[in-house]
Amino acid sequence: MILLRVTQSLDSAARAASAVEAPAPYSGGGLPKGGIMIVISIALYVLPTLLAWKSGHRRVGKIALVNLLLGWTVIGWIAAMVMMYIYTPPPDGEVDVPHTPGQ
């Protein structure tokens, strides 16, 4: 009697184990979110340098140096961004035109 119950329980356990299907393997669809976040983070990190380079700023080297060495601190990144937007005098021989904000 005990042997019959043991074999029945083993038989039902074997049926239950065979009924569970293994999950489908990952097929690699879509872009990995971690990679996208890394690319966005790097782009934001070097944003002051990219803006200075794109606008042809005279101090692009100094901005890049501050950005790359101190940009990991938020203050260094803000300093590089301020350096990018700060006033630069025109090159020698050009006339500086005064600008009034709002006009």
Side-chain angles (χ1 to χ4, degrees):
M1 185 73 157
I2 294 175
L3 184 59
L4 181 61
R5 284 191 181 200
V6 169
T7 55
Q8 286 176 349
S9 64
L10 289 176
D11 186 42
S12 64
R15 273 191 249 137
S18 65
V20 176
E21 294 181 24
Y26 178 68
S27 62
L31 293 173
K33 294 176 187 144
I36 293 172
M37 291 302 294
I38 289 172
V39 169
I40 290 172
S41 298
I42 291 171
L44 285 175
Y45 183 79
V46 296
L47 182 65
T49 302
L50 293 175
L51 290 174
W53 175 69
K54 179 79 172 157
S55 68
H57 201 285
R58 290 175 56 186
R59 297 181 184 135
V60 69
K62 292 178 183 179
I63 293 170
L65 190 66
V66 168
N67 185 207
L68 296 176
L69 296 179
L70 299 174
W72 62 272
T73 67
V74 177
I75 295 170
W77 188 88
I78 292 172
M81 190 64 86
V82 168
M83 286 173 66
M84 200 326 254
Y85 284 108
I86 203 163
Y87 171 77
T88 56
D92 294 334
E94 290 188 20
V95 177
D96 191 8
V97 179
H99 173 73
T100 305
Q103 290 183 353

